[in-house]
Amino acid sequence: MYDQIIDKNNPDSALKVTKGVENPISINQNYLKNVRKRQELTVDDYVKGILEGNRTILARAITLVESNLYKHQALAQQVIERCLPHSGGSVRLGITGVPGVGKSTTIESLGKMLTNQGHKVAVLAIDPSSERSGGSILGDKTRMELLASDPNAFIRPSPSAGSLGGVARKTREIIILCEAAGFDVVIIETVGVGQSEVLAHSMVDFFLLLQLANAGDELQGIKRGIMEMADAIAINKCEGKEKERGELAASNYRNALHLFPPTESGWKPKVFTCSAYENNGIDTIWKTVMEYVDMTKKTGYFYQNRNTQNLRILSESINQALRDNFYQSEIIKEKLELAKDDILDNKISAYIIAQRLIDEYFESLKTK
Amino acid sequence: MYDQIIDKNNPDSALKVTKGVENPISINQNYLKNVRKRQELTVDDYVKGILEGNRTILARAITLVESNLYKHQALAQQVIERCLPHSGGSVRLGITGVPGVGKSTTIESLGKMLTNQGHKVAVLAIDPSSERSGGSILGDKTRMELLASDPNAFIRPSPSAGSLGGVARKTREIIILCEAAGFDVVIIETVGVGQSEVLAHSMVDFFLLLQLANAGDELQGIKRGIMEMADAIAINKCEGKEKERGELAASNYRNALHLFPPTESGWKPKVFTCSAYENNGIDTIWKTVMEYVDMTKKTGYFYQNRNTQNLRILSESINQALRDNFYQSEIIKEKLELAKDDILDNKISAYIIAQRLIDEYFESLKTK
């Protein structure tokens, strides 16, 4: 029976339901009935459940957000709208680093420490490759066993949407749902390659870069500019004889960061060593995040940054829609490749051909 | 009489004309007559003059490119189209650094060295602030006296167009004209603040960042990411007791760059000290540029990069035109501010409001 109600993306949903039964305050019997019968929930059901912190409902709402069915999308949008006023109350922490740097171990240690302190921790992931790779991060449930079974933690793999933009949107919407459900720390895990960390950075308050001391930078494959997005760099796996190399790497990074002008926030990025495996320096991570939050809330940058992020979504969504409409228009499709050839042959200036395509495009819209 | 034909942006154009008279091979008497009478030149006149390396005609063609009058624009575009097949033959070198770092002195030393080696050097500038500030770079003719009076050098201040995009376009078009006129080294000077160096970087083969040893990085105001655009960093003004500090700074920068993965080109950015004032290390700049050009021409990256730059102009011009049309549409103007307020009040999701605005926009285009 429970199988029916286990959300496969959410290994502990079944557990929650049983918990729900044991503890009627935490979960409304009607939802449970709905859940058991897998009945369609109404917008009210979803919103009420989420605001009550019902994890099963939250998991189902997220599944709704992730669904590409139109009717699910429409329902999801209403749920999100209703949750929006209750969102924003968490610290949004981005954690990036290449595979093998120890993201999962770090997140598990950090997450357990926070739940022990009474925090409610949601762990999400951005991994546009997950569709192809079958979910390279957070996919493996065994990787965060302790945290996964923690009633105050909620772990969710990356939505495997086709496009980066799709993943970004779904993740942002899931953050809203998690915050409305009372999670006060939202950790966004992302693999430190490609565009995923730029997306993560665009939706978090604090961005932590995990590095290794014992790997050349090529191996660590930091994209140019990622180091500059980091509010802190933690050299992980600094245990045993790696400690020394870790300290050396840390001072190198400090020198490098010193060469950059101060960040927009006025915050000077911190560099420190840690060992998630030995649970060393994990407290430093959180101490640093709190320092940052306190400072930026005093200066107002914290809120200003979130506003900037929201307005950027508006303009980016608009620009994306405008581009899509242009490049998918028939008249453009057939002419664009020829235009490119002419440009590469130095036959015509890119500016002129651009203007011609634009004129023909808008002409075609009128007669649509 | 010569006053008439002096292009005020081009202090040495009068000189060239006289030279022209003295040396009939270099300049066709008919042009000269045209020039003297300040008659309108035809497209053929312009193209023939430019291809013959007539600097007065070149200067007038550039003035045409910079003009915002429609009839000049139309004429300029035809000239550019005709010059395009003859362009691309130069090494395009971007030089950036904050005011006071010694850009002009460096460019003059480098330029004189190159003309002495038989190169023809054009020096252009990108400075979007020039309209407001009255032209902060290359504006002051006295700053490059030697180069300005060198028959194998051509110096032109920044086009003072309103928008960055405008400046970028005019500069790109001026590069084409200069190359068609036989200049085999085109130096783009830009002040190392704001967006200007991103533009410069988008139109050059090699990007040189000038730094000072004796200034904190805040003072040097390198924008985040600029150091990463640099193919070489030259610590300038390393003379006398500054030498030591210069070497220290250089090794710091080397360490910092070492932390970044290799560039797209596979080139490892070089760091060295120089003194444009004492004419030390200027040869190193050119040696480094040549190494880069040789390497990237072997790998093919040199050409691939130019193609990428050209295709980027196409997509950026298109995207800009699409955005302008949207944001300038009446229906959007009146609704956008309200939309932003609702987003900042968490009343509605930026994604949803974006979709609504887009739908209304395209609806309005049909009925236009």
Side-chain angles (χ1 to χ4, degrees):
Chain A
M1 180 182 76
Y2 280 149
D3 292 350
Q4 284 175 275
I5 60 167
I6 293 175
D7 173 55
K8 66 176 185 343
N9 290 331
N10 182 8
D12 50 341
S13 58
L15 177 70
K16 291 312 130 241
V17 175
T18 31
K19 274 190 173 297
V21 178
E22 291 150 25
N23 169 7
I25 298 124
S26 87
I27 177 163
N28 171 316
Q29 294 297 330
N30 292 333
Y31 296 137
L32 194 54
K33 218 159 106 277
N34 289 334
V35 176
R36 286 234 174 81
K37 294 189 184 154
R38 205 55 166 166
Q39 280 174 7
E40 297 280 323
L41 299 186
T42 67
V43 172
D44 287 339
D45 296 334
Y46 277 114
V47 175
K48 196 156 175 297
I50 289 168
L51 294 183
E52 284 177 359
N54 178 325
R55 302 157 48 100
T56 313
I57 304 292
L58 174 62
R60 283 186 62 179
I62 292 176
T63 309
L64 209 61
V65 167
E66 292 179 346
S67 163
N68 292 322
L69 290 179
Y70 177 76
K71 68 169 193 170
H72 290 165
Q73 287 286 318
L75 192 58
Q77 288 311 320
Q78 294 177 61
V79 174
I80 291 158
E81 290 307 293
R82 296 266 305 273
C83 288
L84 257 176
H86 307 280
S87 69
S90 82
V91 170
R92 301 166 183 171
L93 169 61
I95 297 187
T96 192
V98 294
V101 76
K103 287 188 294 296
S104 305
T105 325
T106 307
I107 291 169
E108 175 147 275
S109 312
L110 180 61
K112 287 305 292 180
M113 185 190 85
L114 291 171
T115 53
N116 290 338
Q117 293 174 8
H119 291 286
K120 287 186 72 185
V121 179
V123 181
L124 311 174
I126 295 186
D127 178 14
S129 70
S130 56
E131 198 158 7
R132 295 189 297 286
S133 69
S136 56
I137 45 180
L138 292 190
D140 178 358
K141 294 179 190 105
T142 63
R143 279 167 62 242
M144 295 189 191
E145 264 176 348
L146 282 169
L147 203 57
S149 60
D150 185 328
N152 289 315
F154 182 84
I155 300 183
R156 187 81 179 195
S158 178
S160 57
S163 71
L164 273 170
V167 174
R169 173 175 184 160
K170 285 168 200 262
T171 307
R172 285 199 175 93
E173 292 173 337
I174 294 167
I175 292 174
I176 290 163
L177 299 183
C178 291
E179 290 177 339
F183 290 91
D184 63 337
V185 179
V186 177
I187 296 174
I188 312 286
E189 175 182 6
T190 182
V191 67
V193 289
Q195 277 293 307
S196 55
E197 61 288 324
V198 177
L199 285 182
H201 182 256
S202 73
M203 59 183 79
V204 297
D205 305 313
F206 187 97
F207 199 65
L208 173 70
L209 171 62
L210 292 180
Q211 294 281 67
L212 293 175
N214 61 347
D217 300 282
E218 285 78 0
L219 290 178
Q220 297 190 55
I222 336 165
K223 261 185 71 248
R224 312 204 118 208
I226 291 195
M227 219 175 77
E228 295 174 291
M229 297 193 309
D231 298 300
I233 296 177
I235 318 290
N236 191 26
K237 301 195 177 177
C238 290
E239 49 244 8
K241 59 178 175 7
E242 283 305 317
K243 275 187 183 146
E244 210 172 298
R245 237 192 305 190
E247 288 305 334
L248 179 64
S251 73
N252 284 342
Y253 281 114
R254 281 188 203 100
N255 290 336
L257 289 170
H258 166 75
L259 288 168
F260 296 120
T263 57
E264 222 185 310
S265 59
W267 168 261
K268 291 210 181 300
K270 304 280 181 291
V271 182
F272 46 83
T273 61
C274 69
S275 163
Y277 178 71
E278 292 180 350
N279 220 337
N280 283 332
I282 301 304
D283 50 343
T284 314
I285 295 177
W286 188 243
K287 213 177 95 282
T288 310
V289 172
M290 281 297 100
E291 269 175 34
Y292 177 89
V293 170
D294 293 344
M295 185 203 106
T296 52
K297 280 190 173 176
K298 275 200 194 72
T299 62
Y301 177 83
F302 183 89
Y303 309 100
Q304 177 200 324
N305 179 48
R306 284 199 173 176
N307 287 344
T308 310
Q309 289 177 339
N310 281 325
L311 292 180
R312 195 173 293 133
I313 296 174
L314 177 67
S315 54
E316 281 173 5
S317 308
I318 287 170
N319 296 339
Q320 188 57 51
L322 294 172
R323 284 198 297 272
D324 292 349
N325 193 287
F326 176 86
Y327 287 104
Q328 282 156 23
S329 102
E330 285 313 319
I331 186 159
I332 295 309
K333 273 189 197 161
E334 62 182 56
K335 301 198 173 180
L336 196 59
E337 289 315 309
L338 285 150
K340 287 182 179 174
D341 296 342
D342 288 346
I343 290 168
L344 297 186
D345 298 345
N346 266 352
K347 279 196 199 135
I348 189 158
S349 138
Y351 291 105
I352 293 177
I353 201 78
Q355 191 51 55
R356 287 190 196 154
L357 291 171
I358 282 287
D359 293 342
E360 292 178 25
Y361 168 69
F362 280 111
E363 204 44 51
S364 73
L365 289 179
K366 288 181 192 168
T367 57
K368 239 184 186 166
Chain B
M1 179 182 78
Y2 279 150
D3 291 352
Q4 283 175 277
I5 61 164
I6 292 175
D7 175 81
K8 67 179 182 341
N9 290 328
N10 185 7
D12 51 341
S13 57
L15 176 70
K16 292 310 129 240
V17 175
T18 28
K19 273 190 175 298
V21 179
E22 290 149 22
N23 169 6
I25 297 120
S26 88
I27 178 163
N28 170 316
Q29 293 299 330
N30 292 333
Y31 297 135
L32 194 53
K33 218 160 105 276
N34 289 332
V35 176
R36 286 235 173 80
K37 294 190 181 151
R38 204 57 167 164
Q39 280 174 5
E40 296 281 322
L41 301 186
T42 67
V43 173
D44 288 337
D45 296 334
Y46 276 114
V47 174
K48 195 153 178 299
I50 290 168
L51 294 183
E52 284 179 0
N54 178 324
R55 301 157 49 99
T56 313
I57 304 291
L58 174 62
R60 283 185 64 177
I62 293 176
T63 309
L64 209 61
V65 167
E66 291 178 346
S67 160
N68 293 321
L69 289 179
Y70 176 76
K71 68 168 193 172
H72 291 166
Q73 288 286 315
L75 193 58
Q77 287 312 318
Q78 296 177 60
V79 175
I80 292 160
E81 290 306 292
R82 296 268 302 275
C83 288
L84 257 176
H86 308 279
S87 70
S90 81
V91 170
R92 301 167 183 170
L93 169 61
I95 297 187
T96 192
V98 295
V101 75
K103 288 188 294 297
S104 305
T105 326
T106 307
I107 291 170
E108 176 147 271
S109 313
L110 179 62
K112 286 306 291 180
M113 186 189 84
L114 292 172
T115 53
N116 291 340
Q117 293 173 9
H119 291 285
K120 285 187 70 183
V121 180
V123 182
L124 311 175
I126 295 186
D127 178 15
S129 69
S130 57
E131 198 158 9
R132 294 188 297 285
S133 70
S136 56
I137 44 180
L138 293 190
D140 178 359
K141 292 174 194 122
T142 64
R143 278 166 63 242
M144 294 191 191
E145 265 176 348
L146 282 171
L147 203 59
S149 59
D150 183 328
N152 290 313
F154 182 85
I155 300 182
R156 188 80 178 196
S158 179
S160 56
S163 72
L164 273 170
V167 174
R169 174 176 183 159
K170 286 168 198 269
T171 308
R172 285 198 175 93
E173 291 173 337
I174 294 166
I175 291 174
I176 290 165
L177 299 184
C178 291
E179 289 177 340
F183 290 91
D184 63 338
V185 179
V186 177
I187 297 174
I188 311 288
E189 175 182 6
T190 181
V191 67
V193 288
Q195 277 293 306
S196 55
E197 61 289 325
V198 178
L199 285 182
H201 182 257
S202 74
M203 59 182 79
V204 297
D205 306 312
F206 187 98
F207 199 64
L208 173 70
L209 171 61
L210 292 180
Q211 293 281 67
L212 291 176
N214 62 345
D217 299 280
E218 288 78 358
L219 289 179
Q220 297 191 53
I222 334 163
K223 258 184 72 249
R224 309 204 122 209
I226 291 195
M227 219 175 74
E228 294 173 293
M229 297 194 307
D231 298 301
I233 297 176
I235 318 290
N236 191 26
K237 301 195 177 178
C238 291
E239 49 243 11
K241 59 178 173 6
E242 282 305 317
K243 275 184 182 149
E244 210 173 300
R245 237 191 307 190
E247 289 305 335
L248 178 64
S251 73
N252 284 341
Y253 281 114
R254 279 187 204 102
N255 290 335
L257 290 170
H258 166 75
L259 288 168
F260 297 120
T263 57
E264 222 185 311
S265 59
W267 169 261
K268 291 210 182 300
K270 303 281 182 291
V271 183
F272 45 84
T273 62
C274 69
S275 164
Y277 177 71
E278 293 181 351
N279 221 337
N280 284 332
I282 300 304
D283 51 343
T284 314
I285 294 177
W286 188 244
K287 217 177 94 282
T288 309
V289 172
M290 281 297 99
E291 272 174 32
Y292 177 88
V293 171
D294 293 344
M295 186 202 103
T296 52
K297 280 189 172 174
K298 277 202 193 70
T299 63
Y301 177 83
F302 183 89
Y303 309 100
Q304 177 200 328
N305 179 50
R306 283 199 174 176
N307 287 343
T308 310
Q309 289 176 339
N310 281 326
L311 292 180
R312 195 172 293 132
I313 295 174
L314 177 68
S315 55
E316 280 172 7
S317 309
I318 287 169
N319 296 339
Q320 187 58 50
L322 294 172
R323 282 196 299 273
D324 292 349
N325 193 287
F326 176 86
Y327 287 104
Q328 283 157 22
S329 100
E330 286 312 319
I331 185 158
I332 294 308
K333 274 189 197 159
E334 61 182 58
K335 299 195 174 182
L336 196 60
E337 289 315 307
L338 285 149
K340 287 181 178 172
D341 295 343
D342 287 346
I343 289 168
L344 297 186
D345 299 346
N346 266 351
K347 277 194 200 139
I348 189 158
S349 138
Y351 290 105
I352 293 177
I353 201 78
Q355 192 50 55
R356 287 190 195 154
L357 290 171
I358 283 287
D359 293 342
E360 292 177 28
Y361 168 68
F362 280 111
E363 203 44 51
S364 72
L365 290 181
K366 289 181 191 170
T367 57
K368 242 186 186 166

